Amino acid sequence: SENSVELNSGDCVVLYSDGISEAVNERGEQYGVSRMKRTLNDVGELESAEAIKSALLNDVRQFTGKAEQMDDITLVVLKKS
């Protein structure tokens, strides 16, 4: 099916692979969707899509520490100006 969504100024769309939500830390805990949502709520008002993307990836990296990741991380952030 096909849907359309109208974005207003400041709205943000985040597309991500499961490599983000399933990223693990050194204790084997997953980053998770709820942590990702919390982080996006905290940084969603940043000026640009690039800043939001960087903030989310930095949080994932801080969470995972030195733990080896078994999956790719793909992230696309769009923000309407």
Side-chain angles (χ1 to χ4, degrees), residues 6-17:
E6 187 172 328
L7 299 177
N8 297 312
S9 180
D11 285 351
C12 187
V13 176
V14 178
L15 307 170
Y16 64 95
S17 68

Side-chain angles (χ1 to χ4, degrees), residues 22-79:
E22 296 176 358
V24 295
N25 63 16
E26 294 167 340
R27 293 183 302 267
E29 301 166 327
Q30 288 190 349
Y31 186 76
V33 173
S34 60
R35 181 179 174 121
M36 181 179 64
K37 286 180 180 180
R38 250 189 335 268
T39 301
L40 288 170
N41 280 331
D42 291 345
V43 302
E45 297 299 322
L46 292 175
E47 181 88 14
S48 68
E50 182 66 31
I52 294 168
K53 180 191 78 154
S54 294
L56 179 57
L57 289 176
N58 286 336
D59 192 61
V60 172
R61 288 186 189 110
Q62 184 177 19
F63 174 82
T64 58
K66 295 181 182 180
E68 183 179 349
Q69 301 308 303
M70 301 299 169
D71 202 353
D72 66 295
I73 290 179
T74 304
L75 178 63
V76 176
V77 179
L78 306 169
K79 185 164 185 169

